[in-house]
Amino acid sequence: MAKGPGLYTEIGKKARDLLYKDYQSDQKFSITTYSPTGVAITSTGIKKGDLFLADVATQLKNKNITTDIKVGTDSTLLTTITVDEPAPGLKSIFSFKVPDQRSGKVELQYLHDYAGISTSIGLTANPVVNFSGVVGSNVLALGTDVSFDTKTGNFTKCNAGLSFTKDDLIASLTLNDKGDTLNGSYYHIVNPLSNTAVGAEVSHSFSTNENTITVGTQHALDPLTTVKARVNNTGKASALIQHEWRPKSFFTISGEVDTKAIEKSAKVGLALALKP
């Protein structure tokens, strides 16, 4: 178990990754190669119906400085420069996207045994300032995440979260959308040897009084192949299989079905079959 409470983005992350990460509407393919000098190049392709999206990412490391460059088929260039530990526990991140002139951002992260702080500011005349902080330990953590738009003088984001970690289970509770949405999540490791885990998330919207319940599981068929499945209370069921065919290179196939639509079609078909 890691020391300290970590950053706010880590509250509920295990359950979110289990329930939502790598699920695609169609197929996803990625390949990573390494040059003799240690430069990593990752090519990713996603097929959505008749549309094919791709990007190429390059990562260069020099001592404690990491530079990531990603070029997409939408003619954008994203550059991220990370300086790890210029001072103990500190990390600085500078990012910008071309041709978006308002995308520049500077972020500072600080990790302590009893606190985790992240603050960022956009490099514009009227920037958006974000601050998140977590206090506690690697067992119990309490945090908040707020964003302030200096142009309008309004808070664009105001969230709060609580996380509890004990051995093989993680439970979290977050209040998002300026207090309108309450999320509770649970993640449990069933078998660490086979990477078998189960998770669940319950979301309640106070403005619409609607609830969303999602449950899922994952299991490693072998050290290189993982299967995942999830279903929610609206009747949508999803599954995926992901294979690491070479180090950090993955082939992923996923799909989703609307079980209520299938049930409705079956009922209509049965009614037509029984019609005299």
Side-chain angles (χ1 to χ4, degrees):
M1 188 180 294
K3 295 178 64 178
L7 299 175
Y8 184 85
T9 53
E10 297 175 25
I11 295 180
K13 185 177 185 300
K14 285 287 188 179
R16 289 195 304 271
D17 286 350
L18 171 64
L19 296 174
Y20 305 110
K21 186 178 179 181
D22 295 321
Y23 282 98
Q24 302 288 334
S25 58
D26 286 284
Q27 293 85 34
K28 180 179 179 181
F29 178 83
S30 68
I31 178 173
T32 301
T33 58
Y34 295 89
S35 70
T37 58
V39 177
I41 301 176
T42 301
S43 301
T44 303
I46 301 175
K47 186 178 182 299
K48 295 184 177 182
D50 296 330
L51 182 64
F52 184 79
L53 303 175
D55 61 64
V56 177
T58 303
Q59 185 179 82
L60 306 91
K61 291 186 177 182
N62 182 16
K63 297 181 180 179
N64 66 330
I65 301 176
T66 302
T67 303
D68 293 279
I69 302 173
K70 178 186 283 189
V71 181
T73 53
D74 56 351
S75 301
T76 58
L77 173 66
L78 174 63
T79 302
T80 304
I81 301 173
T82 304
V83 182
D84 195 19
E85 297 227 340
L90 186 66
K91 178 186 290 187
S92 59
I93 303 170
F94 170 67
S95 64
F96 63 92
K97 180 185 288 187
V98 178
D100 187 359
Q101 299 179 354
R102 296 176 53 86
S103 63
K105 185 175 70 173
V106 174
E107 180 179 357
L108 292 176
Q109 298 177 357
Y110 177 71
L111 293 175
H112 185 268
D113 288 348
Y114 300 103
I117 298 173
S118 176
T119 181
S120 66
I121 183 171
L123 301 180
T124 62
N126 303 107
V128 175
V129 181
N130 185 83
F131 172 83
S132 65
V134 180
V135 295
S137 64
N138 56 357
V139 176
L140 184 65
L142 176 67
T144 186
D145 181 23
V146 296
S147 290
F148 181 76
D149 190 336
T150 59
K151 184 177 182 179
T152 62
N154 296 323
F155 283 96
T156 58
K157 180 171 61 174
C158 187
N159 303 329
L162 175 69
S163 176
F164 175 76
T165 304
K166 182 65 175 178
D167 298 329
D168 56 358
L169 67 87
I170 302 174
S172 67
L173 186 67
T174 58
L175 187 63
N176 303 318
D177 303 325
K178 299 180 182 180
D180 182 63
T181 305
L182 182 66
N183 292 324
S185 66
Y186 174 81
Y187 175 86
H188 176 62
I189 301 174
V190 179
N191 187 342
L193 297 179
S194 61
N195 195 28
T196 303
V198 295
E201 181 185 66
V202 179
S203 178
H204 176 75
S205 174
F206 293 102
S207 59
T208 63
N209 200 31
E210 293 181 350
N211 296 316
T212 303
I213 304 172
T214 306
V215 296
T217 184
Q218 71 177 23
H219 175 73
L221 300 177
D222 56 56
L224 302 176
T225 308
T226 300
V227 292
K228 295 172 62 176
R230 71 180 183 192
V231 64
N232 61 25
N233 63 321
T234 64
K236 292 184 178 180
S238 306
L240 72 79
I241 181 168
Q242 184 176 78
H243 179 68
E244 186 176 9
W245 59 284
R246 57 180 297 171
K248 295 187 178 180
S249 298
F250 299 92
F251 180 71
T252 306
I253 298 178
S254 65
E256 181 179 274
V257 295
D258 189 339
T259 58
K260 289 188 177 181
I262 294 176
E263 182 182 357
K264 183 178 180 181
S265 298
K267 288 182 178 179
V268 171
L270 180 60
L272 291 174
L274 295 177
K275 186 176 180 181

